[in-house]
Amino acid sequence: NLLKRSKYIPEKFEEDKKKLIGKYKKKGFRDAEIIRDSIYSAGKKSIYLDIYLKEGKKYYFRDISFVGNTKYKTEILSKMVGIKKGDVYDEELLNERIFGMEGMSSIYLDNGYLFFNAEPVEKNIENDSIDVEIRIYEGRQAIINRVIVEGNTKTKDKVVLREIRSLPGELFSRADIIRTQRELAQLGFFDPEKMGVEPKPHPEDGTVDIVYKLEEKSNDQVELSGGWSGKYVVISSRLHLNNLSLHDLFTKGEWPPFGDAQSLILNVSINPEYYDMESITFTEPWLGGKKPNALSVSAYRSKNSRIQNNSLKGTMRVMGASVGLQRRMVWPDDYFTIYNELSYRHYKLDNYQMSGYYAVPTDLQANNISFSTVIGRNSVDQRIYPTSGSSISVGLELTPPYSYIKNYEDPSTLDAKTRYKWIEYHKWTFKTELYTSIAPKLVLQTKINCGILGYYNTYFRSPFEGYELGGDGMSYNFYSYGVENIPMRGYEPNALTPTRGGNIYDKITLELRYPLVVSQAATIYGLIFAEAGNAWSELKQFNPYDIKRSTGAGIRLFLPMMGLIGFDYGYGFDNAYGGLQPSGWQPHITLGQQF
């Protein structure tokens, strides 16, 4: 530390001497040693430390051989170790390649060989070259005898057991245990920092008991969210019960009704004068209890009011419902899921003038029946503060092509009420995010999102769908079903949406995160970010090099009962649509909303 003097602590000095020799050994100086050291005064509050070293010769690997391997050929083991003749001799690296998570031992431990052991021995040392012999004891394959779960005081055993991949009667597999830990962390019911696994081997009969040690944490949330569009404030309250049991709700003596991993979300958003919205969503993650088929059912209603001609107030009412089913796939692997949803929305405009390019009657009733499907793969390790894994999804939402079904002779002459009675469109989305640990606890999140709203017939383009880019992503002119609010920090809400509406967008985000507190009571992390993106009205206008840029910093606080609270301060380098100056610094405060 250049700005602060270090104190002399004898224990730390001994540790540092061991680290010093370890550094030499990693560079091939196998015989490096500290001959002696001396400590003497350099004044009233300072001392000198002299360390006398003998570096010795620098060594290299020559031949690496294997003995005792009957299950796997030497060529396979040699490839997994990955050390070649002439590489600098590094004993620590050799042990990592043998016993590490991705090392040689993994193929044994993933195939039942719990009692596997390996011993690297320096067989021959000649000049600066060392031959190593890896002596392998494979042992017998271990069969799982019992699987024991401890610590789930609220969540029912069946919810935990159905996520466990290491089952009684099967061969022991470290990969299955690691995957089980990931699945249990994804439930959100247990503290991932305190989750543990204890194999209890029984060499006498070749079996093993596996004990999963868990600690419950509360993840039910009561959120108070706020959004500001620059003119209006919208306040939202949200109740999210994450581990509900509807069965126990109606069963005498089973109270409180929790433990079946069902989810219920109640949401209310309101501005007393201009806006209100209510929604309810219920999810059963294992429909039927045998397969991870998640059933979701939701219903919603909203009313958006607007002053017309400085006196008359117009309203737009939206009512809708949807039902969806998500299934876990087995190919290409079981990280993949497919989600299908059927939804219906009804729009009713009463003296309401819609903003935007399309000429929509102020009194109109429109209907939207759509089918959507999303294929995704999610291997993110945990929900609150992910450190590894990735998520990718490709989605399609479409309506029937009513204009082709009706086969109008001259659609350009149709009145607007007939044209918009049944909304038609097709919407394509692509989203991906990657979490990379670049240093202990330091995580880089990389996100790429894009979307295209298409049409079957230019005369029947939907006036209700689209993308709004900019701001905190919470809402602009209140929430409108069918419109996706895409956050872009460093810019005001909706500032990057074209006048004729956003029908295509792209966005890239790089976010570097570091945790300040990670505990059951709270998770706090700081971040710095850089974003780039834009929106266009037409596909022919799309230009991946025509992007708006921003950067900034922020902090996130996650409380189990409150959800996520965030503050960001971003700088927009470019001007918004219609603006002549760069956006500059913009604060963003969000409650219950993630970017």
Side-chain angles (χ1 to χ4, degrees):
N1 192 327
L2 299 178
L3 303 180
K4 181 181 178 181
R5 293 184 177 183
S6 298
K7 293 182 179 180
Y8 172 70
I9 303 173
E11 295 80 7
K12 293 291 185 181
F13 181 48
E14 294 300 320
E15 291 178 8
D16 287 345
K17 288 194 292 183
K18 292 179 181 179
K19 291 179 181 177
L20 177 61
I21 295 302
K23 185 69 173 179
Y24 267 97
K25 289 183 178 294
K26 284 189 66 66
K27 297 295 185 179
F29 295 93
R30 169 183 172 274
D31 301 327
E33 60 178 329
I34 295 176
I35 301 173
R36 61 186 176 90
D37 60 73
S38 60
I39 305 173
Y40 51 96
S41 175
K44 291 183 178 181
K45 296 184 179 181
S46 301
I47 60 172
Y48 289 116
L49 296 177
D50 288 345
I51 299 175
Y52 296 87
L53 286 163
K54 179 182 178 182
E55 293 182 339
K57 188 184 299 184
K58 187 173 184 177
Y59 289 89
Y60 301 87
F61 285 105
R62 190 164 62 182
D63 294 326
I64 298 179
S65 59
F66 301 83
V67 296
N69 54 307
T70 61
K71 178 65 178 178
Y72 298 102
K73 294 181 179 180
T74 297
E75 291 79 6
I76 296 175
L77 301 182
S78 179
K79 186 175 181 180
M80 294 202 69
V81 171
I83 295 176
K84 300 177 181 179
K85 183 177 180 179
D87 288 350
V88 172
Y89 184 82
D90 183 349
E91 185 177 354
E92 183 180 334
L93 175 64
L94 178 62
N95 287 326
E96 177 66 23
R97 297 290 177 86
I98 296 174
F99 303 107
M101 291 296 295
E102 303 295 331
M104 183 190 76
S105 64
S106 63
I107 61 172
Y108 281 98
L109 294 175
D110 292 344
N111 197 25
Y113 291 92
L114 175 62
F115 309 108
F116 162 85
N117 191 22
E119 182 183 5
V121 178
E122 295 177 353
K123 188 177 180 181
N124 185 34
I125 302 175
E126 186 177 341
N127 296 324
D128 63 350
S129 299
I130 299 177
D131 296 332
V132 177
E133 182 179 81
I134 301 177
R135 299 170 183 175
I136 296 173
Y137 171 75
E138 294 177 335
R140 61 193 295 188
Q141 288 177 299
I143 304 296
I144 298 173
N145 180 38
R146 293 191 302 162
V147 176
I148 303 168
V149 178
E150 298 177 353
N152 55 315
T153 56
K154 177 180 176 181
T155 306
K156 295 179 180 179
D157 285 347
K158 66 177 184 179
V159 174
V160 179
L161 292 175
R162 68 194 184 192
E163 300 294 344
I164 290 177
R165 302 299 181 95
S166 47
L167 302 177
E170 295 185 351
L171 287 175
F172 174 86
S173 172
R174 186 177 65 175
D176 286 344
I177 291 176
I178 295 172
R179 179 64 186 275
T180 296
Q181 289 180 293
R182 185 260 177 192
E183 297 300 330
L184 292 176
Q186 281 291 314
L187 288 176
F189 307 148
F190 309 107
D191 187 349
E193 301 296 323
K194 298 182 179 180
M195 191 179 298
V197 181
E198 182 182 348
K200 294 184 176 181
H202 305 289
E204 65 277 5
D205 60 2
T207 64
V208 58
D209 297 334
I210 300 177
V211 182
Y212 289 94
K213 297 184 176 181
L214 309 172
E215 183 172 320
E216 295 266 9
K217 70 172 185 177
S218 175
N219 69 339
D220 296 328
Q221 299 171 11
V222 180
E223 298 179 358
L224 180 65
S225 306
W228 181 52
S229 69
K231 184 177 181 181
Y232 307 112
V233 175
V234 178
I235 302 299
S236 299
S237 61
R238 184 172 182 262
L239 173 64
H240 190 177
L241 303 177
N242 282 292
N243 199 359
L244 189 65
S245 174
L246 287 189
H247 178 269
D248 291 351
L249 184 64
F250 304 103
T251 302
K252 186 177 180 180
E254 298 291 340
W255 197 267
F258 293 105
D260 277 344
Q262 296 166 342
S263 171
L264 180 66
I265 302 175
L266 303 174
N267 195 14
V268 178
S269 300
I270 187 170
N271 173 285
E273 187 174 0
Y274 297 103
Y275 179 77
D276 66 84
M277 184 275 287
E278 302 84 33
S279 68
I280 180 172
T281 302
F282 173 78
T283 302
E284 164 56 69
W286 281 65
L287 183 63
K290 295 183 178 181
K291 293 183 178 181
N293 298 328
L295 174 69
S296 298
V297 181
S298 66
Y300 45 85
R301 185 204 71 87
S302 71
K303 184 179 73 172
N304 192 344
S305 301
R306 179 178 293 168
I307 299 297
Q308 312 290 155
N309 300 324
N310 298 321
S311 59
L312 298 177
K313 180 184 288 187
T315 60
M316 178 174 68
R317 292 178 172 86
V318 183
M319 296 182 64
S322 65
V323 57
L325 183 67
Q326 177 174 284
R327 295 184 294 113
R328 186 181 296 169
M329 302 169 68
V330 296
W331 185 88
D333 60 42
D334 58 5
Y335 285 111
F336 279 85
T337 59
I338 182 169
Y339 177 77
N340 297 316
E341 181 181 279
L342 184 65
S343 65
Y344 169 76
R345 283 196 295 270
H346 177 74
Y347 295 90
K348 184 178 180 181
L349 276 59
D350 184 9
N351 192 38
Y352 186 88
Q353 181 64 55
M354 291 189 63
S355 59
Y357 172 75
Y358 302 101
V360 180
T362 57
D363 295 285
L364 174 69
Q365 294 196 42
N367 302 279
N368 183 338
I369 296 178
S370 66
F371 171 79
S372 61
T373 184
V374 179
I375 297 177
R377 185 183 190 276
N378 187 344
S379 62
V380 176
D381 60 345
Q382 55 180 296
R383 292 184 177 183
I384 306 304
Y385 188 77
T387 59
S388 63
S390 62
S391 174
I392 184 171
S393 67
V394 179
L396 169 63
E397 179 182 348
L398 73 165
T399 67
Y402 300 107
S403 58
Y404 287 96
I405 296 173
K406 292 287 187 178
N407 194 23
Y408 297 106
E409 291 185 3
D410 187 3
S412 63
T413 62
L414 289 177
D415 63 284
K417 289 187 176 182
T418 301
R419 183 177 302 162
Y420 297 129
K421 183 178 181 179
W422 293 98
I423 303 300
E424 63 177 47
Y425 60 88
H426 52 90
K427 182 187 293 185
W428 305 78
T429 58
F430 173 81
K431 299 179 180 180
T432 182
E433 58 186 66
L434 172 67
Y435 295 92
T436 307
S437 293
I438 59 177
K441 298 184 179 181
L442 187 64
V443 178
L444 175 65
Q445 181 202 48
T446 306
K447 295 177 65 175
I448 301 175
N449 294 355
C450 58
I452 301 175
L453 176 65
Y455 54 89
Y456 304 112
N457 189 314
T458 187
Y459 296 104
F460 292 85
R461 300 180 68 167
S462 171
F464 298 102
E465 315 297 320
Y467 305 102
E468 293 182 348
L469 181 64
D472 55 21
M474 297 196 69
S475 65
Y476 176 78
N477 286 340
F478 311 127
Y479 184 76
S480 178
Y481 288 101
V483 175
E484 288 191 42
N485 299 113
I486 312 300
M488 181 79 175
R489 289 165 284 187
Y491 296 89
E492 294 183 352
N494 202 31
L496 301 180
T497 306
T499 305
R500 297 181 60 177
N503 295 321
I504 177 173
Y505 86 96
D506 66 0
K507 179 189 166 189
I508 301 174
T509 300
L510 297 176
E511 189 169 285
L512 197 61
R513 302 173 172 182
Y514 188 83
L516 306 174
V517 176
V518 179
S519 69
Q520 185 173 349
T523 298
I524 305 174
Y525 62 88
L527 60 92
I528 57 175
F529 67 86
E531 295 188 319
N534 208 347
W536 299 266
S537 296
E538 304 290 345
L539 182 59
K540 62 184 179 181
Q541 298 173 340
F542 172 72
N543 181 357
Y545 301 104
D546 178 19
I547 56 175
K548 311 295 183 179
R549 303 156 299 158
S550 68
T551 188
I555 192 168
R556 295 289 182 274
L557 168 63
F558 182 87
L559 299 174
M561 287 299 294
M562 292 295 293
L564 196 71
I565 303 171
F567 173 78
D568 292 275
Y569 204 49
Y571 184 85
F573 293 98
D574 302 288
N575 59 298
Y577 279 104
L580 301 178
Q581 300 293 330
S583 177
W585 290 104
Q586 300 286 340
H588 304 283
I589 301 176
T590 57
L591 303 175
Q593 171 80 16
Q594 290 199 44
F595 288 100

